[in-house]
Amino acid sequence: MKLTVVLLALVAQVFSLENGLMRTPPMGWLAWERYRCNINCKEDPYNCISEQLFMDMADWLVEDGWRDLGYDYVNIDDCWMTERDKNGVLVADPERFPHGIKYLADYVHARSLKLGIYADMGKKTCMGYPGTTLDKVELDAETFANWTVDMLKLDGCYSFAKDRAKGYPAMSAALNATGRPIAYSCSWPAYDGGLPPEVNYTLLMNICNLWRNYDDIQDSWQSVLSIVDWYTKNQDLLQSVAGPGHWNDPDMLLIGNYGLSFEQAKAQMALWTIFAAPLFMSTDLRVMTPQNKDILQNKLMIKINQDPLGIQGRRVVTTEDDIEVFIRPLSKEARAIVFFSRRTDMPYRYTTSFSALNFTDTMVYEAEDVYTENIISGLKADTQFTVVINPSGVVMWYVYPIVNLQVPQAKKKFSWS
Ligand code: GLA
């Protein structure tokens, strides 16, 4: 019995991610979706993967109010490296990152931002740069800590399942061993089909702060829909594994790029918030339109995304008319509701009530429309209301109780059953 306890304690020590980070979903900027592996700094100096790009984005995060709203990570993705040096240490491309990564970390820290970096648990990164094979895990963790990096995305290209099974936990332990709090984003599940039995989510929750479990997002509505479909199809599982310190990552926000309409951009933001997803923008902050900025800087949206309970929401209704309803439970007995239209014709008038949406309590509610800021008062469980949802768009409500009709009886808690 004693031995079992000691062994369990040891296992917990080896596998648990005791970094205390990301109690709410991380927010920030990540290079990949918008800037890919553009290393052509000669012809495209403002858009190539270089220290200048990350310094620019850091400046914009501060100057345009992003940081103060919570968007505080500046994250490098693939294509920052050159070959390892003679001691095996990773090296940033000297032409594109002439001052090295420590300089960039100092630059972002001076602006109260955090720096994220990218590596790959395999022979090579997805774009062919040096990988972090098992023998390099500790060295690379130490290098990142020496550079005062704050987050690592560990990709999984060019790896075998058995190496991933050793390497991802080993990197978690190696990051912990550096003594520097480094948030850890694991692409591991995405390389093993995203589902049990191949993917062990109990282990992931203990060793990673977030994980990619599905395909890369591309700059299109179709790509957003395919991710939403996978997340809803597997929502029982995904909802149960998300929480403070450990999040499902449906990939970056496309808002500000080329593939989404205004309605679709609002829909991605709302759905990602329902999913308690990390909010990593991947767009050119230097040329953002006021409309897109309004979506990404919506304070109530961010408050909902960052709700301290950290419960991932789920789809609760689908209709034959291609209307879906998603709900996320929030602290203080509030909820976020997203009414989502997959229609392609015209604004749709959807009539429902809270009891039809399985609210099991009997309070009077108020709802604030997250995008229009309109307040709808005096809603009881059986009050019929109508929302008008644009094609491939959303209406999003923040709903909170005003009066408990059952006083003095104990309040009934909302439940999923
Ligand atoms: C994979 C990842 C992407 C990105 C690229 C970089 O495809 O899933 O998010 O990091 O590699 O090459």
Side-chain angles (χ1 to χ4, degrees), residues 121-139:
M121 179 71 254
K123 270 210 170 65
K124 296 185 273 183
T125 73
C126 298
M127 296 307 296
Y129 291 85
T132 303
T133 42
L134 286 172
D135 57 317
K136 294 287 192 303
V137 166
E138 281 173 19
L139 176 62

Side-chain angles (χ1 to χ4, degrees), residues 32 77-78 118 126-127 153 155 191 212 216 252:
W32 180 256
D77 207 277
D78 205 346
Y118 167 100
C126 298
M127 296 307 296
K153 169 174 169 181
D155 212 340
Y191 288 85
R212 285 277 314 285
D216 286 6
M252 290 155 273

Side-chain angles (χ1 to χ4, degrees), residues 152-219:
L152 169 67
K153 169 174 169 181
L154 190 60
D155 212 340
C157 276
Y158 302 104
S159 66
F160 294 107
K162 65 174 180 10
D163 296 333
R164 292 194 287 277
K166 280 195 193 141
Y168 278 94
M171 179 57 87
S172 183
L175 291 174
N176 272 349
T178 67
R180 183 177 175 79
I182 300 181
Y184 184 32
S185 164
C186 301
S187 301
W188 184 13
Y191 288 85
D192 284 297
L195 297 172
E198 285 76 15
V199 175
N200 178 350
Y201 276 98
T202 314
L203 175 59
L204 281 173
M205 289 161 76
N206 284 323
I207 66 165
C208 308
N209 294 111
L210 60 156
W211 48 77
R212 285 277 314 285
N213 32 24
Y214 190 62
D215 293 351
D216 286 6
I217 199 157
Q218 307 295 339
D219 195 1

Side-chain angles (χ1 to χ4, degrees), residues 52-343:
Q52 195 54 53
L53 180 70
F54 295 97
M55 286 155 65
D56 267 5
M57 292 306 152
D59 291 347
W60 279 85
L61 284 175
V62 176
E63 277 159 32
D64 251 358
W66 301 100
R67 179 199 60 196
D68 295 343
L69 288 163
Y71 292 93
D72 60 0
Y73 281 95
V74 181
N75 287 9
I76 304 169
D77 207 277
D78 205 346
C79 306
W80 62 271
M81 303 171 192
T82 183
E83 290 310 310
R84 287 178 185 270
D85 74 9
K86 61 177 187 324
N87 300 316
V89 176
L90 288 171
V91 181
D93 183 285
E95 280 179 10
R96 292 180 288 114
F97 294 83
H99 299 91
I101 302 297
K102 174 67 168 68
Y103 172 88
L104 200 48
D106 291 346
Y107 188 92
V108 311
H109 292 154
R111 286 154 184 77
S112 300
L113 297 164
K114 299 176 203 147
L115 187 72
I117 203 157
Y118 167 100
D120 186 285
M121 179 71 254
K123 270 210 170 65
K124 296 185 273 183
T125 73
C126 298
M127 296 307 296
Y129 291 85
T132 303
T133 42
L134 286 172
D135 57 317
K136 294 287 192 303
V137 166
E138 281 173 19
L139 176 62
D140 290 356
E142 279 158 24
T143 303
F144 298 143
N146 288 339
W147 288 343
T148 66
V149 159
D150 305 289
M151 174 170 175
L152 169 67
K153 169 174 169 181
L154 190 60
D155 212 340
C157 276
Y158 302 104
S159 66
F160 294 107
K162 65 174 180 10
D163 296 333
R164 292 194 287 277
K166 280 195 193 141
Y168 278 94
M171 179 57 87
S172 183
L175 291 174
N176 272 349
T178 67
R180 183 177 175 79
I182 300 181
Y184 184 32
S185 164
C186 301
S187 301
W188 184 13
Y191 288 85
D192 284 297
L195 297 172
E198 285 76 15
V199 175
N200 178 350
Y201 276 98
T202 314
L203 175 59
L204 281 173
M205 289 161 76
N206 284 323
I207 66 165
C208 308
N209 294 111
L210 60 156
W211 48 77
R212 285 277 314 285
N213 32 24
Y214 190 62
D215 293 351
D216 286 6
I217 199 157
Q218 307 295 339
D219 195 1
S220 78
W221 179 236
Q222 186 197 3
S223 169
V224 170
L225 283 182
S226 74
I227 294 170
V228 171
D229 288 345
W230 193 84
Y231 265 66
T232 48
K233 185 169 162 213
N234 299 298
Q235 62 185 1
D236 289 347
L237 168 74
L238 298 179
Q239 185 184 36
S240 74
V241 298
H246 44 93
W247 309 101
N248 294 297
D249 178 8
D251 215 358
M252 290 155 273
L253 296 167
L254 301 173
I255 302 155
N257 296 333
Y258 309 97
L260 302 189
S261 71
F262 181 52
E263 294 302 324
Q264 292 163 348
K266 290 202 286 184
Q268 190 194 14
M269 188 73 181
L271 291 166
W272 262 230
T273 292
I274 288 290
F275 294 150
L279 298 179
F280 283 111
M281 304 181 281
S282 186
T283 189
D284 190 346
L285 299 178
R286 300 165 295 199
V287 297
M288 168 131 353
T289 63
Q291 268 193 334
N292 285 324
K293 201 165 145 191
D294 280 352
I295 298 174
L296 290 159
Q297 294 203 347
N298 183 306
K299 288 206 174 99
L300 182 51
M301 182 72 76
I302 293 172
K303 174 178 153 176
I304 297 169
N305 177 275
Q306 298 288 298
D307 186 82
L309 288 184
I311 300 174
Q312 181 170 327
R314 55 195 280 130
R315 188 168 69 189
V316 294
V317 172
T318 54
T319 75
E320 282 176 0
D321 291 334
D322 276 342
I323 301 298
E324 301 178 2
V325 184
F326 291 75
I327 298 187
R328 176 175 170 187
L330 303 169
S331 52
K332 301 192 185 137
E333 295 180 69
R335 302 164 177 102
I337 309 186
V338 167
F339 305 94
F340 174 43
S341 170
R342 291 186 184 243
R343 298 177 70 85

